[in-house]
C-alpha cells in the first residue's frame, strides 16, 4: 500500500474485489428463492454496485436512485427516482459508505412506505464510530475510521470516483491543493 504525505491507500483493489465477492456469495445464499431488486445509490455506489450485482448468482433486477441532501440532519429529496415499483419486492439498498446513518434511515423508511416486502442494505464501507442513529446494515464490506475517503466511487468535490482503490485523505488542506494526486495513484499502481 502506498503512503503519500497527504493521503494513504487504505483498501487496495484486490481486497475490495475479494470482499465484494464474499458479500455477493452471502446475498446469493440468503436470497435464493426470493429474487432481489437491487437499488444502487447514485453516484457513489455505482462501482461497488456494478461489481456486487455481478457476484450474485440469482435472477435479480437493478435500478438506481439519486438523492439530494439538504444541510445536516438527514433531510433528503429525490433527484432521480426508481423506474421499478418496489411493492412486494425484496429490496437490497446498495450504499458506498454509511456515516451518521441518517441517509440510510430515511431510505429504508422510504422503501417500507412504498410497500417493499423486505429491505436490506449492502454497504461497502461503514464509519461505525460516527453513527448517530441505530440502523441495520445486513451486508458490510469494511469497517473504517473517521478519515475522509476517496476512490472506488467516493468523491472529493466530484473527483476521484474512478480510482480503483480506496484512499484516506490525511490532510484536507494540502489535499485540496494537490493536482498531482491522480498521477500519484497511477504510479503507485505501477
Ligand atoms: P450519512 O447520512 O451521514 O450516513 O451519509 C452517508 C453519505 O455521506 C455517503 O453516501 C457519502 O455520500 C457521504 N460520505 C460520508 N463519508 C464519506 C467519505 O469519507 N468520503 C466520501 N463521501 C462520504
Amino acid at each position: 500500500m502506498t503512503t503519500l504525505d497527504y493521503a494513504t491507500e487504505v483498501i487496495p483493489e484486490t481486497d475490495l474485489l475479494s470482499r465484494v465477492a464474499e458479500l455477493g456469495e452471502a446475498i446469493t445464499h440468503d436470497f435464493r428463492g426470493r429474487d432481489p431488486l437491487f437499488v444502487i445509490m447514485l453516484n457513489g455506489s455505482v462501482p461497488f454496485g456494478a461489481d456486487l450485482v455481478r457476484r450474485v448468482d440469482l435472477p435479480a433486477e437493478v435500478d438506481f436512485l439519486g438523492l439530494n441532501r439538504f444541510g445536516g440532519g438527514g433531510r433528503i429529496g429525490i433527484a432521480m427516482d426508481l423506474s421499478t415499483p418496489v411493492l412486494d419486492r425484496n429490496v437490497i439498498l446498495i450504499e458506498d459508505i454509511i456515516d451518521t446513518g441518517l441517509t440510510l434511515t430515511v431510505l429504508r423508511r422510504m422503501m417500507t412506505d412504498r410497500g417493499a416486502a423486505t429491505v436490506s442494505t449492502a454497504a461497502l464501507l461503514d464509519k461505525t464510530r460516527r453513527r448517530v442513529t441505530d440502523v441495520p446494515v445486513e451486508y458490510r464490506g469494511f469497517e473504517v475510521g473517521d478519515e475522509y475517503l476517496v476512490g472506488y466511487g467516493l468523491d472529493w468535490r466530484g473527483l476521484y470516483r474512478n480510482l480503483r482503490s480506496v484512499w484516506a485523505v490525511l490532510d484536507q488542506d494540502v489535499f485540496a491543493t494537490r493536482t498531482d494526486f491522480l498521477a500519484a495513484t497511477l504510479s503507485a499502481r505501477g
Side-chain angles (χ1 to χ4, degrees):
M1 279 191 278
T2 308
T3 298
L4 310 168
D5 53 1
Y6 53 92
T8 186
E9 190 180 30
V10 286
I11 314 178
E13 182 181 10
T14 48
D15 293 6
L16 287 168
L17 295 181
S18 60
R19 184 70 187 124
V20 171
E22 287 173 1
L23 295 179
E25 264 177 45
I27 291 171
T28 303
H29 173 267
D30 295 350
F31 281 80
R32 203 173 294 287
R34 46 189 197 111
D35 304 344
L37 167 63
F38 287 105
V39 173
I40 299 181
M41 302 307 300
L42 298 173
N43 298 333
S45 308
V46 169
F48 169 48
D51 286 340
L52 180 64
V53 299
R54 286 179 294 165
R55 289 295 187 159
V56 174
D57 298 323
L58 297 172
E61 283 180 80
V62 180
D63 206 342
F64 299 88
L65 182 62
L67 300 180
N68 287 319
R69 290 193 179 77
F70 307 107
R75 278 186 56 226
I76 58 174
I78 296 174
M80 198 195 93
D81 208 345
L82 298 169
S83 55
T84 316
V86 301
L87 185 65
D88 298 331
R89 301 300 307 271
N90 295 296
V91 172
I92 303 180
L93 296 168
I94 299 187
E95 271 281 21
D96 49 1
I97 186 163
I98 313 296
D99 186 10
T100 62
L102 291 171
T103 309
L104 182 58
T105 301
V106 175
L107 271 173
R108 289 184 74 115
R109 196 180 314 129
M110 189 189 293
M111 295 302 131
T112 307
D113 288 350
R114 291 182 180 190
T118 62
V119 183
S120 313
T121 303
L124 178 70
L125 306 168
D126 195 343
K127 290 183 171 174
T128 42
R129 292 202 297 262
R130 287 177 47 84
R131 195 72 91 259
V132 300
T133 175
D134 196 19
V135 60
V137 178
E138 287 80 2
Y139 305 95
R140 176 186 286 113
F142 301 88
E143 198 172 319
V144 291
D146 296 350
E147 302 98 337
Y148 193 86
L149 304 174
V150 297
Y152 197 61
L154 300 171
D155 76 308
W156 168 272
R157 300 175 186 171
L159 291 174
Y160 308 130
R161 294 192 198 277
N162 54 327
L163 302 186
R164 294 187 197 175
S165 55
V166 173
W167 293 69
V169 175
L170 302 177
D171 184 325
Q172 305 224 17
D173 293 334
V174 179
F175 189 79
T177 67
R178 295 306 289 251
T179 50
D180 56 346
F181 176 57
L182 180 64
T185 68
L186 293 176
S187 68
R189 211 162 77 197

